[in-house]
Structures are given as C-alpha cells and as structure tokens.
C-alpha cells in the first residue's frame, strides 16, 4: 500500500484495520467522514396537521411536530395522511426506501380505524371485501373488522394496500356512511402502540429490518416483471 491511509495521523498499512467513530481517518490527506446511518422516525400525526414540511397556507405541518427534535438531514414522510387523519406516519431520510414504500405498485398494507355514521349492513361489508367501485376505478378488496356498531355510529378497522386520495373516506361515503374520525393504526410492520398524538419515536431495528424486507420483496417483484 502506498501509505495513503492514516488513522489519527499514523499511516496504516494493514488491511482490515478497524476504527471507532472517534478516530480520524484520512485518505490521501483528506478526512473521510463515516457514513451516517439513516433515520427512521415514527410519528403519531395529530389531527389538523398537513403532511408536508412547509405549507404556503400557514397551517401546522409535520415539521412543526418534528421541531421537538433536531434533525440535520432531509427527512421526508413516507406517503401521506389527510389533514384530518391522525396516526402512524413514517419519516425517513432513506430516499430509496421511501420511494419503494410509497410507489402505488408496491402497496404496503395499512390499517385504519374509522368512526362512521350509522352501521354497516353485512351486504356493505361484503361489498368492501370484494372490492367496491369508486369514481376513479375499482378499489382492491379491503379487510374489515367491525369493532363496535350502534345504530347511529360504528367503529371499523379497515386494511387496504392502496393509497389513493382520501380512499377510506370515499369508500365509506360511497356506502352512505360518512367517516367522522380516522386514525391510521398500522403502516406495514409499524404499529401505533402507545404513541400519543404529536409524539415521535425512532423505529426499532426490528421495524427497520421488516421495512427493508418489504422494500427488497417489492424490488425483486419489479425486476421479475421487467424481465
Ligand atoms: N384514507 C383516507 O381517506 N385518508 C387518509 O388520510 C388515509 C387513507
């Protein structure tokens, strides 16, 4: 080796020399910065917040919610929730992962708890499970779990893969049961747990691994389709 590599000022010639984050590593006289690990943040997006970092209309944004923490890198939301929807929102600076997970083709499974006006009939439940018609094309079959049903209001958990604009609201609206409250309980492997509105936490390493498995599976499927 030509003596180009220095650790803490001393030339290192042994291959496989390990360093710790505090060590200063130079290559050809330039300091080599260690690659930063990506950030994966889980937010319980509160109601009344737009899923953008800036809002020309001056509404509260997810950047305002994140302000509690000092993020130096460019964090982007993975998909979006409506202004009037609360719940799990993943944010990351891992652009490649965000791209795959938001691409409509790779529909990540998402579960929402919807509070509806009225009570669904079994025929309406079956219609959603079969895949109902919407004005921008048929929706894929949804999974449904009725949590509570009264004559005037119901609580229903609905799981979908797609992420069309206001999809959950439009599905129930179409059946004559307007949504009066919507919370995302799960985004792929990430659940809401005990995170309160406006609270944020780092995704666990298990969650990040599960997200990467999802993204790799999506990419592998894409490569096969492309052959
Ligand atoms: N479906 C909706 O209607 N709104 C959301 O925010 C997410 C899914």
């Amino acid at each position: 080796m030509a003596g180009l590599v220095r650790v803490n000022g001393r030339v290192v010639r042994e291959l496989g020399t390990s360093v710790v984050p505090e060590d200063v590593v130079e290559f050809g006289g330039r300091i080599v910065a260690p690659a930063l690990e990506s950030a994966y943040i889980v937010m319980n997006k509160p109601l009344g917040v737009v899923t953008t970092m800036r809002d020309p209309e001056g509404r509260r944004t997810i950047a305002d919610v994140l302000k509690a923490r000092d993020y130096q890198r460019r964090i982007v939301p993975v998909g979006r929730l409506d202004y009037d929807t609360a719940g799990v929102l993943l944010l990351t600076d891992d652009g490649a992962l965000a791209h795959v997970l938001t691409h409509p083709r790779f529909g990540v499974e998402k579960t929402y708890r919807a509070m509806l006006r009225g009570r669904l009939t079994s025929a309406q439940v079956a219609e959603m499970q079969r895949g109902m018609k919407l004005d921008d094309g048929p929706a894929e079959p949804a999974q449904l779990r009725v949590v509570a049903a009264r004559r005037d209001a119901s609580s229903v958990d609905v799981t979908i893969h797609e992420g069309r604009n206001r999809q959950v609201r439009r599905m129930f609206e179409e059946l004559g049961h307007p949504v009066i409250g919507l919370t995302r309980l799960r985004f792929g492997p990430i659940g809401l747990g005990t995170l309160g509105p406006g609270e944020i936490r780092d995704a666990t390493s298990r969650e990040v691994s599960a997200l990467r498995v999802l993204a790799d599976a999506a990419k592998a499927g894409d490569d096969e389709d492309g052959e």
Side-chain angles (χ1 to χ4, degrees):
M1 294 233 265
L4 287 171
V5 179
R6 288 174 188 264
V7 174
N8 300 328
R10 292 180 56 182
V11 173
V12 169
R13 295 184 190 277
E14 294 79 37
L15 282 175
T17 301
S18 6
V19 291
V20 294
E22 293 73 37
D23 288 330
V24 177
V25 181
E26 285 170 75
F27 181 79
R30 284 187 170 208
I31 293 183
V32 181
L36 288 173
E37 283 189 8
S38 290
Y40 302 92
I41 300 148
V42 184
M43 173 187 292
N44 180 351
K45 183 188 104 49
L47 297 174
V49 168
V50 278
T51 311
T52 52
M53 300 307 263
R54 240 172 280 137
D55 182 47
E57 292 175 39
R59 291 171 297 181
R60 205 168 162 229
T61 67
I62 50 171
D64 296 322
V65 180
L66 277 172
K67 242 180 207 150
R69 306 241 308 242
D70 178 24
Y71 291 109
Q72 298 155 8
R73 288 167 292 172
R74 200 175 127 69
I75 303 278
V76 294
V78 180
R80 58 180 292 280
L81 290 174
D82 296 336
Y83 183 73
D84 45 358
T85 301
V88 177
L89 183 67
L90 174 68
L91 299 113
T92 185
D93 58 354
D94 181 343
L97 188 99
H99 175 73
V100 174
L101 295 181
T102 46
H103 199 290
R105 285 190 61 178
F106 310 131
V108 174
E109 201 166 82
K110 296 159 270 251
T111 300
Y112 299 86
R113 175 152 304 169
M115 283 293 297
L116 321 173
R117 274 204 215 295
R119 181 166 30 197
L120 293 171
T121 63
S122 45
Q124 289 172 329
V125 169
E127 191 178 342
M128 290 185 77
Q129 287 170 334
R130 272 198 310 270
M132 56 185 294
K133 287 202 188 98
L134 289 176
D135 52 15
D136 56 350
E140 282 175 18
Q143 293 166 45
L144 249 73
R145 186 173 80 91
V146 177
V147 181
R150 292 199 321 244
R151 195 154 24 145
D152 57 341
S154 313
S155 168
V156 179
D157 287 353
V158 52
T159 301
I160 56 172
H161 292 263
E162 298 168 285
R164 281 144 70 174
N165 190 29
R166 295 180 83 79
Q167 181 167 348
V168 173
R169 286 172 207 276
R170 288 193 290 131
M171 290 196 299
F172 288 114
E173 182 83 47
E174 186 69 27
L175 299 173
H177 297 284
V179 169
I180 47 184
L182 193 60
T183 302
R184 182 151 74 188
L185 302 180
R186 177 162 291 283
F187 177 83
I190 300 179
L192 189 56
T194 55
L195 209 59
E199 286 181 352
I200 50 181
R201 66 169 172 85
D202 290 323
T204 63
S205 50
R206 190 183 281 238
E207 288 170 331
V208 174
S209 310
L211 287 169
R212 291 212 178 104
V213 168
L214 271 181
D216 289 347
K219 274 189 277 180
D222 202 30
D223 292 345
E224 267 172 34
D225 290 353
E227 276 172 8

